[in-house]
């Protein structure tokens, strides 16, 4: 029977159909999805912090309303991603415990600080831009609940990307100080945004990696390097429109390949940040834990209310 189930799973994958929670699946498939979806959910929740930092200091009421809506969208994304992970048999409480204990990851990018208002623009433009490039193919991920969650997430991310671009557009056409602020933000976020796609496909820095297996399972549709290249090709013309330069002297258009070539990425920095030693790792986790502890009464109240409703229904 196990063999029959696995043949059914393989059949769904090779026919490019969706796997649903009721279907039998290899343990490795379930584990890798829990790892990726939990990591993705945590990224959305931790990702609220760098931009949340600017809500109270946004330069106008309109900017503040937009930024608040955007940060709330990230919370919503986190919540449906936790729900998607729960369909694989993992409890939300457990995922949060693993995050707080440093046993599940979140994206490297959220360990960098937001020093000026222009960073809200650079995050929207570059970080959400990179997130969309990575997440649009996930709408075709073989696991149904994850793929479906990605559809709405991607729509909202495109709005986020545009609002970030527009923040920088206005700054880049402002005073000399504002232009300098936009340029400084682009300088600081460019390389970490390229690292978001994960380690290179080959060479010493690849360090094993899940790509080949995840592509065979229809979880990943493109390799990390392919998505990174697509992102560079999309973003360079946008930087030119903004009138900002990207901090890479090696960035050149390659007539032969039709792609933008770029310089080497500092993978030591990437692994350092993953290891917990980025500029804001400690601050992000301690803020997250404090928010969790301060929210304990809300969770207790919700449980008490649910118990009361259940008791009434039973009476
Ligand atoms: N940050 C932290 N860890 C990363 C990483 C990054 N940017 N890129 C790769 N890694 C980790 C992997 O998790 C893996 O470690 P593990 O085995 O301990 O889990 C290791 O580095 C090797 O990487 P692989 O490429 O082999 O791993 P994957 O096949 O899982 O690919 C990925 C990595 C492309 C990031 C993939 O997991 C993915 O597509 N995830 C979903 C997207 C996501 O998580 N996005 C989060 C950032 S964007 C966002 O949250 C939206 C924003 O608007 C708030």
């Amino acid at each position: 029977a196990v063999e029959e189930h696995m043949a059914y799973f393989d059949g769904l994958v090779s026919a490019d159909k969706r796997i649903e929670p009721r279907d039998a699946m290899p343990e490795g498939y379930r584990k890798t999805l829990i790892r990726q979806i939990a990591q993705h959910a945590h990224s959305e929740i931790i990702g609220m912090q760098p931009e949340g930092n600017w809500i109270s200091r946004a330069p106008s009421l309109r900017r503040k309303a937009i930024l608040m809506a955007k940060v709330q969208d990230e919370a919503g994304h986190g919540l449906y991603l936790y729900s998607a992970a729960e369909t694989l048999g993992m409890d939300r409480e457990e995922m949060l415990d693993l995050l707080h204990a440093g046993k599940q990851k979140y994206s490297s990018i959220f360990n960098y600080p937001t020093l000026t208002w222009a960073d809200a623009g650079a995050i929207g433009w570059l970080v959400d831009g990179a997130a969309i490039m990575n997440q649009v193919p996930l709408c075709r991920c073989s696991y149904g609940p994850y793929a479906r969650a990605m559809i709405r997430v991607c729509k909202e991310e495109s709005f986020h990307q545009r609002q970030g671009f527009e923040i920088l557009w206005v700054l880049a056409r402002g005073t000399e100080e504002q232009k300098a602020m936009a340029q400084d933000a682009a300088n600081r976020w460019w390389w970490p945004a390229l690292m978001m796609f994960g380690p290179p496909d080959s060479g010493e820095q690849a360090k094993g990696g899940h790509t080949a297996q995840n592509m065979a399972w229809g979880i990943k549709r493109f390799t990390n390097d392919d998505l990174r290249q697509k992102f560079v090709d999309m973003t360079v013309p946008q930087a030119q429109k903004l009138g900002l330069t990207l901090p890479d002297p090696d960035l050149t258009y390659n007539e032969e390949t039709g792609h933008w070539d770029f310089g080497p990425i500092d993978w030591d920095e990437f692994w350092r940040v993953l290891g917990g030693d980025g500029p804001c790792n400690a601050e992000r986790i301690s803020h997250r834990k404090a928010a969790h502890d301060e929210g304990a009464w809300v969770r207790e109240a919700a449980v008490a209310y649910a118990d009361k409703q259940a008791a009434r229904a039973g009476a």
Side-chain angles (χ1 to χ4, degrees):
V2 172
E3 273 158 31
E4 234 170 72
H5 279 141
M6 287 309 129
Y8 181 68
F9 172 88
D10 291 340
L12 287 175
V13 171
S14 54
D16 204 10
K17 295 206 167 126
R18 301 287 87 93
I19 316 294
E20 296 299 335
R22 62 172 182 267
D23 296 327
M25 57 187 87
E27 195 47 25
Y29 179 83
R30 202 179 68 84
K31 282 215 175 105
T32 206
L33 275 170
I34 289 179
R35 177 185 61 79
Q36 176 167 331
I37 302 173
Q39 182 169 317
H40 195 166
H42 298 327
S43 304
E44 302 281 356
I45 299 297
I46 299 271
M48 295 167 72
Q49 291 184 39
E51 286 174 290
N53 182 33
W54 281 92
I55 290 175
S56 61
R57 291 177 288 165
S60 70
L61 182 61
R62 179 174 158 267
R63 293 288 184 201
K64 181 167 172 153
I66 296 171
L67 187 61
M68 247 177 358
K70 197 218 147 176
V71 172
Q72 281 175 358
D73 283 351
E74 309 295 358
H77 298 174
L79 298 185
Y80 19 100
L81 285 164
Y82 284 127
S83 299
E86 283 187 315
T87 65
L88 291 156
M90 174 66 126
D91 196 61
R92 183 178 307 199
E93 198 66 30
E94 196 181 341
M95 286 183 267
L96 287 171
D97 287 346
L98 290 168
L99 169 68
H100 299 157
K103 289 184 183 150
Q104 279 182 345
K105 296 191 170 81
Y106 58 90
S107 181
S108 51
I109 193 76
F110 300 118
N111 292 306
Y112 292 85
T114 41
L115 304 179
T116 71
W117 168 249
D119 290 16
I123 290 185
W125 176 43
L126 296 174
V127 176
D128 297 324
I132 297 170
M133 196 50 88
N134 164 271
Q135 288 169 26
V136 166
L138 290 174
C139 298
R140 294 187 290 119
C141 165
S142 58
Y143 189 58
Y146 190 32
R148 288 188 291 272
M150 279 301 114
I151 294 171
R152 176 163 168 189
V153 168
C154 286
K155 284 189 184 153
E156 294 179 352
E157 291 298 346
S158 357
F159 154 68
H160 298 169
Q161 202 261 354
R162 279 154 192 241
Q163 68 88 38
F165 184 88
E166 200 259 348
I167 289 175
L168 291 181
W169 178 265
V170 170
L171 289 176
R173 271 146 199 78
T175 63
E176 284 308 313
E177 280 99 334
Q178 287 170 325
K179 265 185 236 172
M181 202 194 273
Q183 182 59 56
D184 171 61
N187 291 348
R188 282 181 291 106
W189 289 92
W190 174 247
W191 290 108
L194 294 191
M195 293 175 197
M196 282 174 73
F197 295 92
D201 299 341
S202 55
E204 198 187 311
Q205 296 291 337
K207 308 208 175 173
H210 307 284
T211 301
Q213 178 62 73
N214 287 357
M215 286 181 79
W217 276 330
I219 297 173
K220 270 182 161 172
R221 299 288 174 170
F222 297 96
T223 71
N224 298 358
D225 284 338
D226 283 350
L227 288 175
R228 193 167 10 247
Q229 183 67 57
K230 279 169 179 279
F231 174 71
V232 173
D233 291 344
M234 175 186 81
T235 310
V236 172
Q238 295 178 354
Q240 290 169 340
K241 287 234 162 52
L242 285 170
L244 297 177
T245 52
L246 293 169
D248 179 358
D250 295 333
L251 205 53
T252 32
Y253 188 70
N254 185 325
E255 294 285 349
E256 252 163 63
T257 61
H259 295 294
W260 284 87
D261 291 338
F262 52 95
I265 294 177
D266 183 353
W267 291 111
D268 290 341
E269 174 178 327
F270 173 77
W271 296 114
R272 231 177 15 250
V273 171
L274 249 64
D277 199 15
C280 301
N281 297 56
E283 181 187 331
R284 298 293 182 239
I285 285 293
S286 77
H287 189 82
R288 171 90 269 287
K289 280 192 200 152
H292 190 70
D293 293 345
E294 283 160 20
W297 70 271
V298 179
R299 293 188 296 278
E300 280 160 25
V303 170
Y305 181 74
D307 288 348
K308 202 158 108 186
Q309 294 297 95
R312 269 198 204 139

